[in-house]
């Protein structure tokens, strides 16, 4: 069985042929034009090229799932609001179906990525899972009883905009102290720069120079080299990330919290200190039940696979 | 149709005959003995007296639902852990059924209270609802698609233990800065006392004296009298409560957030300034969708009605 997943990003739009809800056989991408009609035209060409690469015809494709930033209303097929793309109330499901000649289903991009990890990645086979993607912000998807949680307006699950430090750093959403201001890759960069200022002799200065700039890896590399300031920066980041994750556990008590985004590549260097804080603070710490912390494993493929699988499950009413 | 709801509290245990899942016809209560076997014996007598008062026999009662503080495992019927009562892994469902000669079902007390408001109170007919009860702590129950949310270990939904001020006041759960440290009735009392110290001329001093002590009403009464310090105390309380509620909205985007506990008796004096903050901060503020803020209306009856209705829905698989 073949489906198509389209992961619409602010910069690039990637599409892939998904085989048996599990793996991508062919993949192509194109710059995302924020002009809606140009976007539709470009995406039409993208899918035509993708099918040609895969030597498949439209008749071989069951459906197309899209992951799009913003509020995607599955009752109406509209993208109601996408801050990233500057779209408001565009009928993406209908318009893209007309262009592609295939049935199209919309979903939010963070939800799609979470559903990818749930159906084909690290969270496969579990029941209730929260996926946090640490990037420019903190994207999140919540799966409850094998189904994505949307809230009543398809705008739910914005864990990145949960305030954990009342009156803290100003977030793009207008609130102060949102989780994503501290626990995103961007947040880690800010924490790293602040600590570097305090320690002019830290190895992080040399590391950042060789990297071209401070990024989310700078502090972790320094910590591995035994740099005290690097360790301090990582510790601050872990403190905030663990705070938000412990909130998530106290609220959802899921089977697992899965962490994606570039930082998750640190693997146990990130997960081990995180578990230490979470296991000493979560409300369930005295029971036999333990929420697992995992690093995501599908990377950029999660969005494509998840968009296709979310659409497939929606049509077939199967989790 | 008659069911029985039992609301087990740290101090008192109240039981009621619930008619048609809607109203309590008879109600009795007894001191809660924390010794488990004495509790069972006392509750047996309580229900015998209740049935006698109502002129009903056991054959008239469909089932008994209990709301108990702590983690109540519905798969095993055990109260796995109740900090308030000092119980660990007690088979309440089985033991109480033996004593009462009726089928018994366990649920958490905050969940039961939330389900009461959902099935017979202010949230009746809605789909997704979060109920926050502001008392000694902040109790919470989450209803998603007409069903209570439990998490994978029946310990989920602890919104009171979501940190909103990282590194803030120490909570009984061991974390620092939990929502309930600021937004509970206890939290309001602490805020009030702090503001009173700053303003020796505030009307709150006279009000507290006439009340016997500072309580959750002191600041609201003073605010109504035009007292500046009272207004300041209420504003601080509202700021924290709104912060937690906005988090809840960004995560769940429910139909409504319902506020219970004594403070909710302030009605629009509380809800109006809350809405102002929430409507200017929630992630969905630019869309047409608005999460409603309501005051709960069943008071102490919510726990009894909800315990009975939760059990009834569980047995009959109806929301």
């Amino acid at each position: 069985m073949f489906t198509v997943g389209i992961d619409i990003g602010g910069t690039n739009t990637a599409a892939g042929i998904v085989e048996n809800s599990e793996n991508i056989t062919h993949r192509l991408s194109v710059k995302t034009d924020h002009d809606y009609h140009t976007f539709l035209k470009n995406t039409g060409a993208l899918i035509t090229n993708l099918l040609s690469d895969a030597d498949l015809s439209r008749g071989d494709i069951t459906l197309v799932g899209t992951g799009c930033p913003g509020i995607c209303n599955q009752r109406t097929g509209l993208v109601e609001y996408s801050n990233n793309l500057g779209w408001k109330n565009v009928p993406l499901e209908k318009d893209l179906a007309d262009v592609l000649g295939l049935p199209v289903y919309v979903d939010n991009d963070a939800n799609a990525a979470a559903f990818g990890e749930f159906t084909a990645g690290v969270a496969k086979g579990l029941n209730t899972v929260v996926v946090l993607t640490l990037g420019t912000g903190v994207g999140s998807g919540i799966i409850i009883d094998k189904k994505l949680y949307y809230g009543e307006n398809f705008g739910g699950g914005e864990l990145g905009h949960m305030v954990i430090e009342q009156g803290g750093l100003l977030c793009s959403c207008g609130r102060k102290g949102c989780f994503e201001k501290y626990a995103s890759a961007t947040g880690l960069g800010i924490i790293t720069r602040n600590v570097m200022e305090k320690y002019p002799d830290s190895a992080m200065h040399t590391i950042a120079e060789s990297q071209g700039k401070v990024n989310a890896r700078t502090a972790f590399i320094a910590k591995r080299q035994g740099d005290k300031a690097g360790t301090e920066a990582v510790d601050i980041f872990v403190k905030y990330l663990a705070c938000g994750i412990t909130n998530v556990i106290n609220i959802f008590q899921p089977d697992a919290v899965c962490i994606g985004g570039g930082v998750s590549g640190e693997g146990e260097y990130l997960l081990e200190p995180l578990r230490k804080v979470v296991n000493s603070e979560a409300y369930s710490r005295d029971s036999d039940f333990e929420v697992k912390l995992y690093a995501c494993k599908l990377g950029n493929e999660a969005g494509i696979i998840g968009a296709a699988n979310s659409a497939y499950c929606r049509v077939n009413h199967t989790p």
Side-chain angles (χ1 to χ4, degrees), chain A residues 21-22 110-133 141-150 254-259 294-299 301-303 305-307 309-310 313 318-319:
Chain A
S21 307
E22 191 71 35
N111 283 345
F115 205 67
E117 289 291 343
F118 173 68
T119 48
V122 70
K124 199 173 168 177
L126 300 179
N127 196 50
T128 298
V129 176
V130 176
V131 179
L132 301 171
T133 306
I142 300 164
I143 290 128
I144 295 175
D145 276 341
K146 300 190 186 295
K147 286 194 194 106
L148 274 164
Y149 180 77
Y150 293 101
D255 293 304
V257 176
C258 307
I259 298 162
Y294 295 132
C296 289
K297 64 178 199 188
L298 296 182
E301 300 202 337
I305 297 178
N309 290 355
S310 165
C313 290
T318 53

Side-chain angles (χ1 to χ4, degrees), chain A residues 250-308:
Chain A
N250 286 353
I251 298 169
F252 291 102
Q253 297 287 351
D255 293 304
V257 176
C258 307
I259 298 162
V263 187
S264 70
E266 302 293 338
E268 286 301 314
Y269 282 92
L270 174 66
L271 297 178
E272 191 269 330
L274 264 183
R275 278 193 202 101
K276 216 163 131 180
V277 184
V278 167
N279 289 345
S280 71
E281 288 205 1
Y283 206 69
S284 47
R285 64 181 179 271
D286 292 326
S287 74
D288 297 335
F289 181 78
E290 193 194 331
V291 179
K292 301 280 184 263
L293 294 189
Y294 295 132
C296 289
K297 64 178 199 188
L298 296 182
N300 291 333
E301 300 202 337
I304 294 174
I305 297 178

Side-chain angles (χ1 to χ4, degrees), chain A residues 36 66 71-80 89-96 104-107 154 314:
Chain A
Y36 179 62
T66 65
I71 297 182
C72 301
N73 188 323
Q74 299 191 350
R75 276 189 289 266
T76 61
L78 299 183
V79 176
E80 290 189 352
N89 287 321
V90 296
L92 184 66
E93 238 175 50
K94 187 190 170 302
D95 288 344
L96 208 52
V104 171
Y105 300 89
V106 293
D107 203 341
F154 295 96
R314 193 174 142 198

Side-chain angles (χ1 to χ4, degrees), chain A residues 188 215-221 224 234 237 261-272 295:
Chain A
L188 174 53
N215 65 25
R217 297 194 58 217
T218 312
F220 277 97
I221 295 170
R224 282 206 194 83
V234 169
F237 173 68
V263 187
S264 70
E266 302 293 338
E268 286 301 314
Y269 282 92
L270 174 66
L271 297 178
E272 191 269 330

Side-chain angles (χ1 to χ4, degrees), chain A residues 159 162 246-254:
Chain A
L159 291 166
M162 159 178 74
T246 308
N247 281 359
V248 165
I249 291 175
N250 286 353
I251 298 169
F252 291 102
Q253 297 287 351

